[in-house]
Amino acid sequence: MCIRDRDRHYIAYVYDQPVTSATLLLAGGIAGIWDVSTPPAMRGRGYGSAITQAMLQIAYERGYEHAWVWSSQMGQEVYRKLGFVARDFGIREYVWRKQKS
């Protein structure tokens, strides 16, 4: 088995203050954008959009041509403006819990 590090966690700062963060997972020919988060006091300033665009550029530079993101209602307009198109896969999530011994 060979395990390769294909994900990166990003934090964007304005001066010394963190304003948004996200994770980029590059695997299977698809760039997955995860956990884009911006503190409530920093929302509405384009930080989430900027970090998402930066991750899309990184993925593109590494040869990826497809990306996806799971979005909350709050983020849907941000991703739509970046060119993402809504798709319904019918499965929202799976949950795993450790079995009691």
Side-chain angles (χ1 to χ4, degrees):
M1 174 188 298
C2 178
I3 298 174
R4 294 185 177 143
D5 178 16
R6 302 297 291 174
D7 64 327
R8 299 284 185 258
H9 307 288
Y10 296 89
I11 302 171
Y13 294 85
V14 171
Y15 300 105
D16 290 331
Q17 181 177 5
V19 295
T20 191
S21 63
T23 297
L24 175 63
L25 175 63
L26 302 173
I30 298 174
I33 297 172
W34 293 86
D35 301 324
V36 178
S37 60
T38 304
M42 298 292 152
R43 292 179 184 155
R45 301 178 192 191
Y47 298 135
S49 179
I51 200 167
T52 302
Q53 283 181 305
M55 289 188 298
L56 288 170
Q57 183 63 36
I58 290 165
Y60 179 77
E61 289 170 359
R62 293 184 184 175
Y64 288 77
E65 296 180 2
H66 302 280
W68 60 268
V69 61
W70 288 103
S71 178
S72 65
Q73 286 289 117
M74 187 184 315
Q76 287 180 355
E77 186 63 15
V78 171
Y79 302 121
R80 187 191 65 72
K81 287 180 180 178
L82 292 173
F84 285 90
V85 177
R87 293 287 188 255
D88 186 354
F89 293 100
I91 299 173
R92 292 290 176 233
E93 65 184 46
Y94 287 96
V95 176
W96 179 88
R97 289 189 179 88
K98 182 179 178 183
Q99 300 295 318
K100 294 181 182 180
S101 308

